[in-house]
Amino acid sequence: MKDEKIEIKQGIKFHKIKTNKFKTNLFAIFLNTALSRENVTKDALITALLRRGTMELKSQDLISKELENMYGAGFDCGIEKSGDYHTFKFYLEVINDDFLPEKENLSEKALKLLISIVFNPFIENGSFKEEYVKQEKSNLKQIIEGKIDNKGNYALERCIEEMYKEKPYGLFKYGYIEDVEKITAKDLYEYYLKLIQECKIDIFASGDINDNYEEIVRKDENINKLKERNIEIKKEDKKEIINQAKEIIDNMDVTQGKLVMGLDLMLDKEDIGYAAMVYNTILGVGANSKMFRNVREKESLAYTCGTNYIKRKNLLLVRAGIEIENYEKAVKLIKKEIADMKDGNFTDEDIKNAKNLIYSTIYNIEEEQDTEISYYFGQEISDLNTSVEEYKEKIEKITREDIIEVANNMQYNTIYFLRN
Amino acid sequence: MQIIESSKIKEKVYIEKLENGLTVMIVPKENTNKKYIIWGTHFGSNDNHFIVPGTNEEVTVPDGVAHYLEHKMFEQENGKNSLDVLMALGVDANAYTTNNHTAYLFETVEHFYEGLDELMDYVQHPYFTDENVEKERGIIGQEIGMYDDDPGWQLYMNALDCMYKKNAIKIDIAGTVESIAKIDKEVLYKCYNTFYNPSNMVLVVCGNFKPEEMIDEIKKRLVEKPKQGEIKVIHQIDDDEINMPYKETKMEVSKPLFLIGFKDKIDSEEKVKRHIAIEIIMNMLIGKSSDVYQNLYKEGIILAEPDLDYEFEKDYAHALIMGQTTNPEKVKEEILKEIQKQKENFDTEHFERMKKKIYGEYVTEYNNVSDIARMFLSDYFKGINSFDYIEQYSAVTEEYTKEILKELFEEKRCVMSVVGTK
């Protein structure tokens, strides 16, 4: 396995990914916790707050200056849903010491800085700094309100929200306006302290990585303060049978309508995800897909149309940007393509093409540092150890029958349309 | 073959001008499996008025024709679409049109030479019929509609409208529904035959290749095209003055978008050096650690670091600061104040820090075969070798940067475009 895992403490792992393809080293820290309505907004707020200062560099300004002096080291953070989990992601990318104009140990410095940003935030009077919390609350509110800015993504979010009502995955990753107000600096800090003692922690180092880095992590006093923890990844809930798909129509000032259809894959068996990936690709990924050929090209009905399969949730999302008056026609055409899949109305050529496309994304994993880290993190939280090579083998083995089996177990859940 | 090496980042580019006039650039990357190829023609949405080589015929074509042509290039006489053929190989293929070039590209780990067969075949063999040209109109119309709904694009187009009076950069790359209605197969063939001649094109390859072998592979696949003289493109040249200082439009956004632009002069000799200095200055003015950004962020006026860009060609040049804010006027006011402050009292420490930051950005560009190839292609059309950014970096002194600050960052060169909330 290329991802060399070292358990620092129970529940805390250091991952070394050695590669010589890049001019940079990339470090990442991921915190993984259960997604809940109670905490979703706090999670988003914490991610934003941690970049505001450490005990050594007490303000964002000082952190920025430090990063700039490190030849523009790139810090990034964000929060993502990983199925029913919420993942806090922190990255620091720095130029490999070999390409600096003058020699220095920039990468070691970078790893220490990243650890300190996540685990040694600036604390004043036993809490996060009031001023920072206030500002980040106001910023977070603006981010939540900004949900409407990208109409395509908004439609997608709304469809997922409708599909997973009252369930963790239906939550918006940045949380809710009404919850932002209620959060105090003190509550938030208490939540943070509990979080870092209980959550799953994964630290990644990718690039020209020698054994020094493991030592840095082991000896770091912020890491030493963390306790051992029990991590158990919960299995996905069983999907409910739906007789009639929901139809949701929202109105907004748009010139182009955004159609999103959400389908559940009702099959829960090992490796079904690989067959579903091939199914998804034949149906709606790229210029050879049935959707692209028939809905976009043959009917000139949509500028954008395609499908996404979300493996962790066994969820298929169909998206199309269409003229508003073409709504019924588009739904009908898309449904026909989906029905065609059940009837096995696709060629061996389609299967081959789809597999080729998936292989190319598999090959791509090792060609980008953040993609490679994300891949191994995905394996980590699924409790799997599938190497990139095995991943490809699993796709190779998928047969026409496997794909039809997926098609026969697709259930319409929600049809969502954003129009004027 | 010409070989240019950058010792600082340990990369080389091999350049060869073939007999038919085609320029080939190869950047070998031994450690990577990914391969990237991009084939571009020096023909973009701005080039709508030209003289066909060997004639005196002056031609004006409808707006959006370069982009329309790009869409139609994939269509083949055998009924196949080359994009499908490439995708079927598992090759990630695409094409795009900018205001000064059109490019066809793919990226892959496997099946590179099969992909090369297809790419070089379709770019050299146009197949336009009345029917297939007609069919595309609906799709492009939808694409134009998509841009109409995109606040970021509207913001940018309005800023160009503020800066330029007549430069063709003001025209939407895809044209308008009305302008594309006038495009037919004759127009497409005329543009193709004029601009898709090898002498007007450059091909860039990046990946684990031996340059000599790569050149042979390309030569094998070339089709003979008539030798062609220089294409005279007639561009409307703007003077230094801006068109109007402000333009606002309202769209459904949660918070206003702003774009502050500075219109630069176009006769600069030291384009790369100037570009580096301008990037440093913009970072000093509103980059993450600047006083302006920190203060606006604390007051909740700005939420994220604005995007900074310097775009330039032979006939236009401008610096852009783009972001989202609750108060566009305030952002502009603070930036102008900071410019004044820096002119009076230049912050040397800040300058050095930004210079380091930018060095890191230039090196990081070399992480990815696609970034490398795209950079070499677009720089080539500007008459630049991309390594110059690394090589000329140390020549950008504080004195030089101060001069540029004085020259470009003036209120009379400044425009603002705003997309306000409804």
Side-chain angles (χ1 to χ4, degrees), chain A residues 46-262:
Chain A
I46 282 174
T47 321
L49 258 178
L50 293 180
R51 53 186 183 156
R52 294 303 299 269
T54 70
M55 288 313 278
E56 294 90 34
L57 300 165
K58 294 189 167 49
S59 69
Q60 190 170 19
D61 179 38
L62 292 173
I63 294 180
S64 299
K65 284 181 177 153
E66 178 78 358
L67 293 171
E68 286 161 359
N69 272 323
M70 293 164 75
Y71 291 91
F75 171 77
D76 200 4
C77 63
I79 192 144
E80 298 295 338
K81 289 192 282 189
S82 315
D84 290 349
Y85 289 86
H86 219 187
T87 309
F88 301 62
K89 297 185 168 183
F90 304 89
Y91 296 91
L92 193 54
E93 181 188 67
V94 68
I95 297 182
N96 183 331
D97 296 349
D98 289 347
F99 303 108
L100 297 176
E102 290 153 46
K103 192 85 189 157
E104 57 178 297
N105 288 335
L106 205 55
S107 284
E108 294 189 14
K109 205 167 150 187
L111 178 55
K112 284 179 195 160
L113 175 58
L114 186 63
I115 291 173
S116 146
I117 288 174
V118 180
F119 298 111
N120 193 25
F122 179 56
I123 300 305
E124 201 178 59
N125 305 324
S127 168
F128 287 128
K129 193 176 163 76
E130 288 282 352
E131 184 199 347
Y132 293 173
V133 174
K134 204 177 136 212
Q135 286 158 3
E136 291 305 333
K137 276 166 75 172
S138 130
N139 291 344
L140 182 59
K141 270 201 236 168
Q142 295 188 45
I143 292 174
I144 298 169
E145 281 161 0
K147 203 161 43 161
I148 61 162
D149 288 358
N150 182 319
K151 308 297 182 247
N153 287 346
Y154 176 74
L156 191 71
E157 283 290 342
R158 280 284 297 125
C159 183
I160 292 172
E161 184 179 57
E162 290 292 339
M163 287 180 83
Y164 296 88
K165 270 211 164 139
E166 315 292 323
K167 290 184 190 137
Y169 196 66
L171 295 168
F172 185 48
K173 67 176 182 176
Y174 290 114
Y176 299 88
I177 297 269
E178 59 272 29
D179 294 354
V180 176
E181 229 14 88
K182 292 183 233 154
I183 300 170
T184 66
K186 211 162 173 53
D187 292 348
L188 193 67
Y189 185 53
E190 274 163 22
Y191 173 67
Y192 165 78
L193 287 179
K194 191 161 169 293
L195 174 84
I196 59 166
Q197 291 302 347
E198 290 173 1
C199 72
K200 175 168 171 51
I201 299 174
D202 291 277
I203 303 171
F204 287 85
S206 154
D208 183 13
I209 304 302
N210 56 36
D211 294 337
N212 285 350
Y213 295 93
E214 184 189 330
E215 280 310 296
I216 290 170
V217 176
R218 281 197 189 283
K219 287 187 182 147
D220 191 284
E221 54 178 298
N222 298 307
I223 300 289
N224 283 332
K225 280 187 222 153
L226 299 171
K227 300 192 188 89
E228 302 198 332
R229 68 240 13 237
N230 252 325
I231 303 298
E232 206 184 319
I233 300 279
K234 209 174 70 178
K235 263 202 80 123
E236 286 290 328
D237 295 337
K238 244 189 133 46
K239 302 223 176 198
E240 292 153 28
I241 294 168
I242 296 168
N243 294 322
Q244 175 71 43
K246 263 193 282 191
E247 189 188 31
I248 309 281
I249 294 175
D250 281 345
N251 290 291
M252 208 184 252
D253 186 8
V254 287
T255 47
Q256 194 180 56
K258 306 286 180 191
L259 171 64
V260 183
M261 296 163 78

Side-chain angles (χ1 to χ4, degrees), chain B residues 392-409:
Chain B
Q392 293 202 22
Y393 166 78
S394 48
V396 180
T397 59
E398 184 179 333
E399 281 318 305
Y400 178 76
T401 306
K402 277 188 199 165
E403 261 172 57
I404 304 291
L405 175 69
K406 278 199 198 103
E407 218 175 86
L408 171 61
F409 293 89

Side-chain angles (χ1 to χ4, degrees), chain A residues 244-368:
Chain A
Q244 175 71 43
K246 263 193 282 191
E247 189 188 31
I248 309 281
I249 294 175
D250 281 345
N251 290 291
M252 208 184 252
D253 186 8
V254 287
T255 47
Q256 194 180 56
K258 306 286 180 191
L259 171 64
V260 183
M261 296 163 78
L263 289 89
D264 296 313
L265 172 54
M266 303 299 284
L267 214 52
D268 181 25
K269 62 179 200 185
E270 209 194 322
D271 284 357
I272 190 69
Y274 297 99
M277 286 169 76
V278 181
Y279 166 91
N280 173 55
T281 308
I282 295 173
L283 180 64
V285 183
N288 282 300
S289 66
K290 289 168 74 69
M291 290 264 298
F292 193 96
R293 276 189 326 225
N294 299 330
V295 182
R296 180 185 138 130
E297 294 286 297
K298 214 151 90 199
E299 303 278 342
S300 276
L301 198 65
Y303 178 66
T304 55
C305 66
T307 60
N308 283 49
Y309 166 64
I310 296 166
K311 194 169 166 213
R312 204 171 298 281
K313 297 304 295 181
N314 257 334
L315 162 66
L316 183 81
L317 292 160
V318 182
R319 307 170 72 172
I322 54 172
E323 295 284 347
I324 285 146
E325 66 267 22
N326 285 337
Y327 172 58
E328 272 93 21
K329 195 175 163 200
V331 170
K332 206 174 129 198
L333 274 170
I334 292 167
K335 281 190 167 172
K336 181 182 173 293
E337 295 305 322
I338 291 172
D340 266 8
M341 293 296 295
K342 277 192 203 179
D343 300 339
N345 218 337
F346 53 89
T347 63
D348 289 346
E349 186 78 12
D350 288 334
I351 302 176
K352 196 184 102 200
N353 294 347
K355 286 185 175 180
N356 270 336
L357 198 58
I358 297 171
Y359 298 151
S360 72
T361 62
I362 296 175
Y363 294 133
N364 199 44
I365 294 171
E366 294 180 343
E367 302 293 318
E368 284 167 0

Side-chain angles (χ1 to χ4, degrees), chain A residues 1-2 274 362 365-366 375-376 379 384-394:
Chain A
M1 192 78 163
K2 208 179 157 195
Y274 297 99
I362 296 175
I365 294 171
E366 294 180 343
Y375 175 75
Y376 287 117
Q379 294 301 308
L384 295 170
N385 274 308
T386 315
S387 69
V388 173
E389 293 73 27
E390 287 160 351
Y391 179 10
K392 190 184 170 212
E393 283 161 20
K394 284 179 191 284

Side-chain angles (χ1 to χ4, degrees), chain A residues 149, chain B residues 146-159 249 251 253 257-259 322-323 417 419:
Chain A
D149 288 358
Chain B
M146 206 169 71
Y147 282 118
D148 287 343
D149 270 353
D150 180 352
W153 185 251
Q154 293 308 316
L155 179 79
Y156 175 69
M157 289 312 292
N158 286 343
T249 180
M251 291 178 84
V253 288
L257 308 181
F258 74 92
L259 192 161
M322 298 157 270
S417 155
V419 173

